[in-house]
Amino acid sequence: MDALQTDYIKVDPRHSDWKVIDRCASIIKNGGLVAFPTETVYGLGANALDGQACRGIFAAKGRPADNPLIVHIASVEDMERVAGSLPDRAYKCMDRFWPGPLTIVVPKNSNIPDTVSAGLSTVAVRMPDHPVALALIRVSGVPIAAPSANTSGRPSPTSAEHVREDLGGKINAILDAGPCRVGVESTVLDLTTPNPVILRPGGISREQLEDLLGQPVAFDRGLTDQNVTPRSPGVKYKHYAPKGEVILLEGSDNRIIARIKQELSTAREKKLKVAILCSRELAEQVKYLEADNLIILGSRQKPETVAAAIYGALRECDRTGSQLILTEGFARNGIGAAIMNRLEKAAGYRLIKL
Ligand code: TXA
Ligand code: MG
């Protein structure tokens, strides 16, 4: 289906170019597909009220049909167009964290086609914190269903160039507003059960949610226990995976460094191309080792910089043909839960505790 001409349009996020937004909004209204920036990752958008248009998303991404889409809206009032009755907690969450990297799962209403909800009785909704995304939704006049704009199974796109790599020739347009600020996807929070459950850790932390709601917020057991089916369909698929083998190393610096040395010497015998992904702090201590590529994700003191760099780093490993990728584990609090979830998935859960 590589037949479409994909328009690649640069926009300045600080000054909406209304001509460009109008053009892309028309594509959405006419049932087409537009990739657009959000604060988390780029999304692949279609009219959320048009089942046929949304089927196009699944086709372009090669996405399994049982994996529902997140619906993006531009105001709390838009919630009425997509959701049924909401618990108070939903209003609290929207008030505090929207626009922002929090998706809430609530009962859907009949406007939402089965394609979007993958046949579930719920819908996942969020308001992105990005002027271009908000302008596109407003001018389109419809809620926009959008998964991350990558080919299914590849790392999510944090730049428009990543989108082009995966979906060029398969969608109508790509809006390029530069790199995404957060760099990991939104937190998906299920509000349909008495106790809120995080189905996917992301840009808003468990601690922030507990603080707001004044009650414990659990992580879905399916996130960590491979014997439990995750409640969020998307989470069960192999994801975020670069082509090389990824090994995630968790422990003290000294132990990680010793293990890296050991892995490097075996890899050298096998003539494997090796990349190390680590913090600035660890890089100081491993830069003299002979890895083919040393990618600094960010500082341990600023874990949000690490989160923002992960997907780009995994794609760089692919581009440079890394066959073995050794990555440092990070603290699991705050945004660290999302960082470690993505690294664990990239590693296919090959986590070595040292
Ligand atoms: O940051 C984000 O959330 C990005 C940007 C583009 O907004 N979107 C994104 O969408 O990450 P996607 O499709 O890559 O991931 C959506 C996740 C999947 O794991 C999916 O299974 C889950 O949300 N999901 C969607 N609707 C759901 C529902 N009704 N119940 C449970 N999980 C749902
Ligand atoms: Mg995705």
Side-chain angles (χ1 to χ4, degrees), residues 36-44 61 63 66-72 101-106 116-117 120-126 128 146-150 156 184-188 190 199-200 231-236 239-240 342:
F36 62 94
T38 81
E39 80 282 29
T40 57
V41 301
Y42 276 74
L44 175 58
K61 280 183 58 98
R63 183 180 177 97
D66 70 348
N67 190 4
L69 305 176
I70 294 176
V71 174
H72 296 68
L102 177 70
T103 294
I104 56 176
V105 175
V106 293
V116 170
S117 59
L120 300 175
S121 59
T122 55
V123 62
V125 191
R126 89 175 188 102
S148 48
N150 51 298
S156 292
V184 289
E185 300 90 335
S186 62
T187 301
V188 178
D190 188 352
L199 305 184
R200 176 180 74 182
R231 275 162 55 183
S232 185
V235 170
K236 70 174 182 282
H239 229 185
Y240 316 129
R342 305 312 189 266

Side-chain angles (χ1 to χ4, degrees), residues 82-339:
V82 299
S85 77
L86 297 178
D88 281 349
R89 291 188 308 233
Y91 290 98
K92 272 193 178 170
C93 288
M94 294 188 284
D95 247 24
R96 172 74 69 90
F97 296 119
W98 282 8
L102 177 70
T103 294
I104 56 176
V105 175
V106 293
K108 79 172 189 110
N109 75 20
S110 58
N111 293 335
I112 295 296
D114 275 346
T115 313
V116 170
S117 59
L120 300 175
S121 59
T122 55
V123 62
V125 191
R126 89 175 188 102
M127 191 197 300
D129 186 15
H130 196 292
V132 174
L134 293 171
L136 181 67
I137 301 165
R138 289 202 181 107
V139 176
S140 299
V142 291
I144 295 185
S148 48
N150 51 298
T151 299
S152 264
R154 290 216 70 206
S156 292
T158 51
S159 75
E161 192 44 52
H162 298 161
V163 180
R164 179 148 65 178
E165 273 170 26
D166 284 12
L167 300 177
K170 298 182 175 176
I171 63 178
N172 300 102
I174 301 172
L175 278 168
D176 178 358
C180 300
R181 175 172 59 81
V182 178
V184 289
E185 300 90 335
S186 62
T187 301
V188 178
L189 181 70
D190 188 352
L191 292 178
T192 62
T193 47
N195 294 314
V197 177
I198 294 175
L199 305 184
R200 176 180 74 182
I204 298 292
S205 69
R206 171 195 202 160
E207 293 87 340
Q208 284 174 292
L209 292 167
E210 289 187 333
D211 225 36
L212 170 72
L213 297 171
Q215 69 179 122
V217 175
F219 286 114
D220 177 22
R221 278 188 48 223
L223 284 170
T224 43
D225 185 339
Q226 286 178 76
N227 301 315
V228 176
T229 307
R231 275 162 55 183
S232 185
V235 170
K236 70 174 182 282
Y237 293 106
K238 185 166 186 272
H239 229 185
Y240 316 129
K243 295 174 189 130
E245 180 189 10
V246 181
I247 301 178
L248 175 52
L249 305 170
E250 217 179 359
S252 67
D253 281 8
N254 286 343
R255 288 184 178 186
I256 293 179
I257 294 165
R259 183 62 182 243
I260 289 177
K261 285 182 181 161
Q262 190 190 327
E263 294 286 344
L264 279 174
S265 88
T266 334
R268 211 167 295 130
E269 280 164 28
K270 296 193 203 159
K271 299 203 168 23
L272 294 180
K273 220 170 163 188
V274 186
I276 300 175
L277 267 54
C278 67
S279 63
R280 189 172 307 291
E281 291 82 354
L282 193 72
E284 279 307 308
Q285 306 175 67
V286 297
K287 64 186 178 196
Y288 61 89
L289 302 178
E290 278 167 34
D292 299 277
N293 200 354
L294 175 64
I295 302 179
I296 298 174
L297 296 171
S299 165
R300 285 177 190 157
Q301 307 308 319
K302 290 191 178 159
E304 57 293 347
T305 59
V306 173
I310 286 178
Y311 288 136
L314 294 175
R315 278 181 187 257
E316 185 177 335
C317 289
D318 277 351
R319 210 168 33 246
T320 53
S322 304
Q323 293 158 300
L324 177 64
I325 301 156
L326 303 171
T327 177
E328 173 186 349
F330 290 83
R332 289 173 185 269
N333 58 320
I335 188 82
I339 293 173

